[in-house]
């Protein structure tokens, strides 16, 4: 407590407060005087709080201070009822804790009070909003709130902009000089053009040339886009043809039943991806986008706000863990077999999701390889090289080479035999 009072006095004795306090005099303040000090701090943050507490009823003072502290997002260490009583009676511990929280971050609280003055929504009962006119006005009010957030963010961005007035003046002066140079250049060109006898014909020809150049540029762009579309269509055609060849080659050694089983497995996998996995991913992405949109619409947060949110998140996580443990203990007592089956179902679901993700990655990798293969084949065709054989064609080619090798060995043995016979006949 003594260290807390020391820090409070250290801030109050400096500008903008300039209070003449020491530890003894500050500790001897009457409750009303202590509340007046607190109110002076509030008045610095928001001038609307500037007033003499002797002229205000205690209930009104407490209501105003509590409302202002709620705008500043102050969370008292004691209960709400104790805090309200402490504010009304000027309890030292309550006032000290409030001052110790406010004084270190006065500028942040000034910004928050300024925003809270305009962003605190007016709560309208649902029965009143049933009136169409009232509902329309309330919706306009909400739209104005959102517009204020956008304008305030733009204002902060401009305030934090690194460009100074001197830099802007320098840029303006430079642009004015460039403008003068362009005007002089245009005047010189006009003098040269006006001296020509066939000015009108030259201008007409220049306009025609520019139109044709623009037309040529558009045609080249269209040609480029059409070439890209043709290339994409050829790649797709080649990929489909390769798939057809592979299916035909696979179907040669596969019965109708096996083929139906394979198609049924592929259908189930695709159905799971379309009806279960992909909708969950889309919903998760939409939720993430909505959360990010809400964060963007919120006013700028300070480090204290982030720390406060992290603390709340940790508390909620602890509460969630306790509830989960209680639920698991109840479930264990109620039906252990049901818990076991539930765990097995969760494990199977996770395994199914992992396999679906692996299937998706393999499919993407296969598509990339097919595109790369089609691209390489196109490059080989453009260079005049022979087409690369597929797996089935390569096997047939190997078999043909093996047969020709056997024929070659037989012919070679026959030639060796004939050569030896001719040598024998020549010796005789």
């Amino acid at each position: 407590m003594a260290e807390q009072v020391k820090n409070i006095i250290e801030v109050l004795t400096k500008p903008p407060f300039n209070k003449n306090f020491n530890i003894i005099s500050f500790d001897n303040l009457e409750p009303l005087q202590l509340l007046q000090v607190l109110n002076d701090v509030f008045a610095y943050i928001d001038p609307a709080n500037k007033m003499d507490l002797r002229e205000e009823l205690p209930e009104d003072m407490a209501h105003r201070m509590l409302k202002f502290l709620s705008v500043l997002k102050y969370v008292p260490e004691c209960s709400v009822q104790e805090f309200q009583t402490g504010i009304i009676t000027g309890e030292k511990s309550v006032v000290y804790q409030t001052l110790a929280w406010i004084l270190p971050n006065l500028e942040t609280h000034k910004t928050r009070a300024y925003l809270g003055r305009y962003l605190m929504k007016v709560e309208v009962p649902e029965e009143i909003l049933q009136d169409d006119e009232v509902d329309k006005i309330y919706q306009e009010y909400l739209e104005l709130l959102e517009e204020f957030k956008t304008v305030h963010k733009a204002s902060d961005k401009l305030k934090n902009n690194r460009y100074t007035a001197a830099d802007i003046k320098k840029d303006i002066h430079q642009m004015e000089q460039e403008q003068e140079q362009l005007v002089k250049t245009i005047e010189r060109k006009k003098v040269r053009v006006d001296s020509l006898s066939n000015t009108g014909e030259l201008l007409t020809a220049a306009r025609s040339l520019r139109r044709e150049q623009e037309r040529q540029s558009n045609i080249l762009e269209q040609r480029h886009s059409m070439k890209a579309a043709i290339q994409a269509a050829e790649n797709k055609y080649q990929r489909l043809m390769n798939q057809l060849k592979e299916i035909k080659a696979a179907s040669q050694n596969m019965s109708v039943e096996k083929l139906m089983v394979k198609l049924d497995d592929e259908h189930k996998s695709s159905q799971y991806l379309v009806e279960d996995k992909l909708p969950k991913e889309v919903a998760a992405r939409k939720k993430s986008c909505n959360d990010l949109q809400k964060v963007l619409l919120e006013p700028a947060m300070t480090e204290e706000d982030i720390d406060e949110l992290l603390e709340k998140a940790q508390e909620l996580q602890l509460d969630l863990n306790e509830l989960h443990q209680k639920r698991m203990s109840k479930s264990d007592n109620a039906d252990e077999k049901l818990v076991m089956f539930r765990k097995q179902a969760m494990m199977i679901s996770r395994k199914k999701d992992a396999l679906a993700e692996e299937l998706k990655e393999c499919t993407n990798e296969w598509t990339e390889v097919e595109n790369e293969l089609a691209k390489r084949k196109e490059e080989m065709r453009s260079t005049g090289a022979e087409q690369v054989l597929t797996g089935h064609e390569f096997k047939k080619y190997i078999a043909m080479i093996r047969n020709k090798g056997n024929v070659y060995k037989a012919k070679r043995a026959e030639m060796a035999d004939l050569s030896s016979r001719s040598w024998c006949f020549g010796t005789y």
Side-chain angles (χ1 to χ4, degrees):
M1 179 68 75
E3 188 68 24
Q4 190 180 64
V5 173
K6 185 178 178 181
N7 294 333
I8 293 171
I9 294 173
E10 185 179 355
V11 178
L12 291 177
T13 53
K14 295 179 181 179
F17 303 108
N18 298 321
K19 301 288 186 180
N20 189 16
F21 287 141
N22 55 41
I23 296 178
I24 298 175
S25 61
F26 187 72
D27 187 63
N28 291 330
L29 290 176
E30 297 293 330
L32 186 60
Q33 294 174 338
L34 192 59
L35 288 173
Q36 184 65 53
V37 173
L38 179 61
N39 192 78
D40 292 341
V41 176
F42 287 173
Y44 172 75
I45 297 173
D46 187 359
N49 292 298
K50 189 174 183 180
M51 61 181 61
D52 190 350
L53 297 185
R54 292 174 296 182
E55 301 175 358
E56 189 178 18
L57 295 174
E59 293 78 8
D60 296 339
M61 175 202 66
H63 177 73
R64 176 175 57 81
M65 287 187 173
L66 292 172
K67 184 177 180 181
F68 184 69
L69 288 172
S70 66
V71 172
L72 299 183
K73 296 183 180 179
Y74 174 64
V75 180
E77 297 180 3
C78 57
S79 64
V80 178
Q81 186 65 33
E82 292 177 357
F83 183 74
Q84 292 177 353
T85 305
I87 287 293
I88 294 174
T89 59
E91 180 68 30
K92 287 185 178 181
S93 60
V94 174
V95 177
Y96 288 172
Q97 290 174 4
T98 308
L99 287 172
W101 182 81
I102 293 177
L103 290 176
N105 301 291
L106 289 172
E107 297 303 321
T108 303
H109 295 318
K110 285 182 72 174
T111 304
R112 187 174 292 171
Y114 170 75
L115 294 175
R117 188 188 311 169
Y118 302 101
L119 296 181
M120 289 291 290
K121 292 183 180 181
V122 178
E123 298 297 335
V124 181
E126 291 292 335
E127 57 270 14
I128 298 178
L129 288 176
Q130 299 300 323
D131 189 352
D132 295 338
E133 189 67 25
V134 175
D135 184 63
K136 181 180 178 182
I137 295 173
Y138 189 71
Q139 293 302 324
E140 292 177 357
Y141 163 72
L142 295 179
E143 292 175 1
L144 290 174
L145 283 181
E146 298 299 328
E147 184 179 355
F148 173 79
K149 292 180 183 178
T150 305
V151 173
H152 183 265
K153 287 182 180 179
S155 175
D156 285 343
K157 188 175 180 181
L158 291 174
K159 288 178 182 179
N160 296 328
N161 199 342
R162 296 181 179 178
Y163 289 103
T164 61
D167 295 333
I168 296 174
K169 288 181 180 180
K170 184 178 179 181
D171 293 340
I172 293 174
H173 181 66
Q174 185 177 358
M175 287 188 285
E176 288 177 350
Q177 290 180 347
E178 293 177 356
Q179 184 182 10
E180 291 177 359
Q181 293 177 1
L182 289 173
V183 170
K184 292 178 181 179
T185 304
I186 292 172
E187 289 177 354
R188 288 197 301 268
K189 298 295 182 182
K190 279 186 177 180
V191 172
R192 290 179 60 184
V193 171
D194 293 338
S195 62
L196 299 174
S197 58
N198 55 347
T199 304
E201 296 177 359
L202 291 175
L203 289 175
T204 303
R207 292 192 190 96
S208 301
L209 176 62
R210 180 171 296 177
R211 284 196 297 268
E212 292 300 325
Q213 287 176 345
E214 291 177 354
R215 182 182 175 190
Q216 182 183 9
S217 177
N218 293 332
I219 291 173
L220 289 175
E221 289 181 0
Q222 293 178 3
R223 181 184 177 187
H224 180 71
S225 61
M226 292 178 69
K227 276 187 175 181
I230 291 172
Q231 183 66 34
E234 288 180 353
N235 292 338
K236 185 177 180 181
Y237 170 76
Q238 189 66 33
R239 186 170 65 253
L240 293 175
M241 290 300 295
N242 291 334
Q243 292 179 5
L244 180 61
K245 289 180 181 179
E246 291 178 358
I247 291 172
K248 286 183 177 180
S251 62
Q252 289 179 357
N253 298 323
M254 186 179 294
S255 62
V256 178
E257 291 78 8
K258 292 182 179 179
L259 184 60
M260 289 299 296
V261 170
K262 182 180 179 181
L263 291 175
D264 186 53
D265 292 339
E266 292 179 356
H267 172 69
K268 289 180 179 178
S269 300
S270 302
Q271 188 177 11
Y272 170 72
L273 291 174
V274 172
E275 296 181 357
D276 193 3
K277 183 173 176 56
L278 293 178
K280 289 181 180 178
E281 292 182 356
V282 171
R285 296 291 175 87
K286 285 183 178 179
K287 186 178 182 299
S288 178
C289 290
N290 293 332
D291 294 338
L292 292 175
Q293 190 67 27
K294 290 179 181 178
V295 172
L296 288 174
L297 295 177
E298 290 293 328
M301 299 183 68
T302 61
E303 293 184 1
E304 291 185 356
D305 295 336
I306 296 174
D307 294 337
E308 183 179 351
L309 290 175
L310 289 174
E311 291 178 0
K312 290 183 178 179
Q314 291 177 357
E315 293 177 359
L316 292 174
Q317 186 63 39
L318 292 174
D319 295 340
L320 182 62
N321 292 336
E322 291 179 0
L323 292 173
H324 182 67
Q325 291 177 358
K326 290 180 181 178
R327 181 183 175 186
M328 292 299 294
S329 62
K330 290 181 179 179
S331 299
D332 291 338
N333 295 330
D335 192 352
E336 295 181 357
K337 292 184 179 180
L338 183 60
V339 174
M340 182 182 65
F341 292 148
R342 187 182 292 116
K343 289 181 179 180
Q344 290 179 356
M346 291 176 63
M347 292 174 60
I348 292 172
S349 178
R350 290 171 185 169
K351 188 175 180 181
K352 190 176 181 182
D353 292 337
L355 291 174
E357 190 67 27
E358 185 178 355
L359 175 62
K360 184 179 178 181
E361 292 177 358
C362 293
T363 304
N364 294 334
E365 185 178 357
W366 179 75
T367 305
E368 292 177 0
V369 172
E370 285 290 329
N371 294 333
E372 185 68 21
L373 179 61
K375 183 179 178 181
R376 297 298 182 189
K377 287 182 178 180
E378 182 65 27
E379 291 177 357
M380 292 181 65
R381 281 199 296 268
S382 62
T383 56
E386 294 183 359
Q387 186 177 0
V388 180
L389 300 177
T390 61
H392 183 66
E393 293 174 347
F394 185 71
K395 289 180 181 179
K396 291 173 64 176
Y397 177 73
I398 292 296
M400 183 184 68
I401 293 296
R402 189 178 291 112
N403 293 332
K404 288 186 178 181
N406 295 331
V407 173
Y408 167 74
K409 290 178 182 178
K411 296 295 183 182
R412 186 176 178 180
E414 186 178 353
M415 288 178 62
D417 183 53
L418 292 173
S419 297
S420 62
R421 289 182 183 182
S422 63
W423 179 77
C424 292
F425 291 148
T427 56
Y428 290 108

